[in-house]
Amino acid sequence: PVGGSGGGDARCIDVLYDSNGLRHRDFGNAVDLMTEDQFDDWPLRGPRTCLWGLKFMKQAGGTPLGWHNKWRADFKLQPSDPGVESHEAGCRALQYAATYDQCNLPNIVQSELIMREVMRAEERHKDRVGAGKAAEASERNLFVGMDQRVNLCIMPKLIEFIAEEMKQEAAILKERRKA
């Protein structure tokens, strides 16, 4: 479909420039303008996570890199820990795509893949919730009735989709073993 405010292309939002004439849009403003348009030929299975993740990062960290730094600090992660470097690279790519390129990221498959990789990195370390601020956030989230116990950028619908896919795969494998 054609959409968005960027001249008819659902992948674009209008480009803004700062007072020095440089391309720049505030991350929060960019996310507020983003839409998730439906495409009959979207090539990825499962729920689309990009817009959910960007809104989460805006709320929880201000920007993707702000979220990355908060996630690392809350979970006491080092740059050398598995997935941390790719998490930072993904967050950096998403931030530049929103603030410099000024793309409507939820309508770009590449952005969806980057967001899922960021979520995968967080999933890898979710059990470290017993560490410091993350443990406090976990309890608070339970009390206030949030979707997730742990304050992580992992879309609950994606977790449900993966669980269902794995359940179906296990059932198929079980039937094959019977045969």
Side-chain angles (χ1 to χ4, degrees):
V2 175
S5 61
D9 188 333
R11 298 167 297 170
C12 302
I13 53 179
D14 292 332
V15 175
L16 290 183
Y17 295 86
D18 66 14
S19 59
N20 295 319
L22 301 174
R23 293 167 59 114
H24 179 76
R25 182 182 290 275
D26 175 71
F27 179 75
N29 175 260
V31 172
D32 291 343
L33 293 173
M34 291 180 190
T35 60
E36 183 180 284
D37 298 303
Q38 297 306 310
F39 297 96
D40 293 337
D41 61 345
W42 186 257
L44 304 178
R45 295 180 54 217
R48 290 173 60 186
T49 64
C50 193
L51 186 58
W52 184 94
L54 293 168
K55 287 180 177 180
F56 176 92
M57 290 175 176
K58 174 186 162 190
Q59 184 273 326
T63 65
L65 285 173
W67 167 248
H68 169 75
N69 291 329
K70 183 178 182 334
W71 172 71
R72 265 197 56 210
D74 286 355
F75 284 82
K76 299 182 179 181
L77 296 167
Q78 299 302 314
S80 59
D81 287 334
V84 172
E85 212 170 73
S86 67
H87 186 276
E88 180 179 10
C91 287
R92 186 176 306 280
L94 292 167
Q95 186 162 322
Y96 277 123
T99 62
Y100 179 79
D101 295 332
Q102 301 178 40
C103 295
N104 188 14
L105 301 181
N107 290 335
I108 300 173
V109 173
Q110 178 182 15
S111 299
E112 177 67 27
L113 291 169
I114 291 169
M115 183 60 75
R116 288 186 187 194
E117 192 60 34
V118 166
M119 291 181 181
R120 186 169 163 257
E122 294 194 24
E123 173 72 17
R124 179 180 223 164
H125 295 286
K126 75 174 191 230
D127 294 331
R128 291 179 71 148
V129 74
K133 293 180 184 176
E136 293 171 23
S138 173
E139 183 179 350
R140 181 180 62 247
N141 289 353
L142 286 174
F143 271 99
V144 299
M146 294 186 60
D147 288 343
Q148 305 183 99
R149 179 175 180 193
V150 182
N151 193 28
L152 289 171
C153 185
I154 304 172
M155 184 181 191
K157 285 184 181 177
L158 180 62
I159 298 300
E160 291 169 12
F161 170 78
I162 292 168
E164 185 59 34
E165 290 292 308
M166 293 177 80
K167 180 179 166 184
Q168 289 176 10
E169 189 175 300
I172 291 168
L173 292 173
K174 183 178 178 181
E175 287 301 314
R176 285 184 183 165
R177 283 191 299 268
K178 286 182 182 179

